[in-house]
């Protein structure tokens, strides 16, 4: 049975004590979106044009994780935690059964999941062949086994550090994040 949504008469969050800009006030850096030229520079680099698979980038993860992020909008940590059992078919459509690590940590349990359809570009690039090659390791085996973890057991943090360095050298994208001054963010009182 489907739940029916109804319009609210009032905003349930209107009485909240936190300002709208609370997230910006607590962040030390803000990421700016890549330009189309920068996206093209990234995917014209050796990982995608020459088959280079850097060990620090998790070998095959260096190739697949940025593509998966581009085509799914998923968080890096959620992509780095994928197993072969997380690539499933639903009604004939290949999907990612993604963990939602942010919501899982807030909710306190590890079962917050969502299905995201696999983009046809990924299928054309051989995503399903790659997944099939990893299935022999078992359903609970990581799709990207060469990724290292940090001291908090986060796989995406190590990948992200490598990728930020890769953006700077050899690609040459220098400004991937800029520091913000919390005093410059207008307060909402």
């Amino acid at each position: 049975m489907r739940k029916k949504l109804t319009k609210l008469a009032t905003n349930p969050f209107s009485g909240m004590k936190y300002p709208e800009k609370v997230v910006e006030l607590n962040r030390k850096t803000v990421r700016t979106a890549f330009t189309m030229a920068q996206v093209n520079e990234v995917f014209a680099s050796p990982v995608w044009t020459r088959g280079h698979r850097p060990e620090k980038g998790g070998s095959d993860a260096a190739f697949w994780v940025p593509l998966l992020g581009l085509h799914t909008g998923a968080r890096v940590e959620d992509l780095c935690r994928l197993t072969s059992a997380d690539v499933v078919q639903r009604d004939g459509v290949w999907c990612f059964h993604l963990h939602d690590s942010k919501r899982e940590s807030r909710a306190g349990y590890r079962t917050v999941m969502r299905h995201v359809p696999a983009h046809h570009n990924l299928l054309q690039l051989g995503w399903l062949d790659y997944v099939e090659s990893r299935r022999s390791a078992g359903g609970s085996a990581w799709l990207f086994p060469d990724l290292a973890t940090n001291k908090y057991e986060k796989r995406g943090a190590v990948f992200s550090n490598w990728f930020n360095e890769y953006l700077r050298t050899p690609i040459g994208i220098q400004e991937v994040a800029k520091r913000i001054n919390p005093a410059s963010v207008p307060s909402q009182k």
Side-chain angles (χ1 to χ4, degrees), residues 95-166:
C95 296
F96 299 92
H97 194 204
L98 291 171
H99 296 265
D100 191 336
S101 57
K102 290 280 189 187
R103 287 179 55 207
E104 284 178 355
S105 65
R106 277 185 257 143
Y109 51 89
R110 304 187 72 71
T111 58
V112 181
M113 306 287 280
R114 66 189 183 282
H115 284 92
V116 176
H119 195 280
H120 72 277
N121 288 350
L122 296 171
L123 303 180
Q124 289 177 335
L125 288 169
W127 171 244
L128 294 178
D129 293 333
Y130 176 74
V131 172
E132 194 57 39
S133 74
R134 294 293 308 141
R135 287 198 197 276
S136 62
S140 62
W142 299 117
L143 278 177
F144 307 114
D146 298 325
L147 280 174
T149 59
N150 67 7
K151 65 182 180 180
Y152 304 107
E153 298 299 313
K154 298 292 185 184
R155 300 167 62 76
V158 175
F159 178 84
S160 187
N161 288 338
W162 168 79
F163 190 65
N164 283 330
E165 184 57 36
Y166 187 75

Side-chain angles (χ1 to χ4, degrees), residues 21-139:
K21 300 284 183 176
V22 71
V23 173
E24 285 81 1
L25 288 171
N26 290 320
R27 285 196 312 200
K28 291 185 173 78
T29 61
V30 63
R31 301 242 178 234
T32 55
F34 288 112
T35 65
M36 188 51 71
Q38 289 172 324
V39 170
N40 288 330
E41 285 179 57
V42 169
F43 293 109
S45 71
V47 168
W48 291 276
T49 59
R50 294 189 205 129
H52 180 59
R53 298 294 183 266
E55 189 177 320
K56 284 186 177 179
S59 299
D60 288 321
F63 178 83
W64 286 112
V65 171
L67 284 170
L68 297 175
L70 179 69
H71 287 88
T72 65
R75 294 180 188 93
V76 173
E77 182 64 26
D78 297 341
L79 295 172
C80 292
R81 288 176 26 172
L82 285 172
T83 67
S84 58
D86 292 327
V87 180
V88 297
Q89 262 192 319
R90 291 189 70 185
D91 298 324
V93 176
W94 284 101
C95 296
F96 299 92
H97 194 204
L98 291 171
H99 296 265
D100 191 336
S101 57
K102 290 280 189 187
R103 287 179 55 207
E104 284 178 355
S105 65
R106 277 185 257 143
Y109 51 89
R110 304 187 72 71
T111 58
V112 181
M113 306 287 280
R114 66 189 183 282
H115 284 92
V116 176
H119 195 280
H120 72 277
N121 288 350
L122 296 171
L123 303 180
Q124 289 177 335
L125 288 169
W127 171 244
L128 294 178
D129 293 333
Y130 176 74
V131 172
E132 194 57 39
S133 74
R134 294 293 308 141
R135 287 198 197 276
S136 62

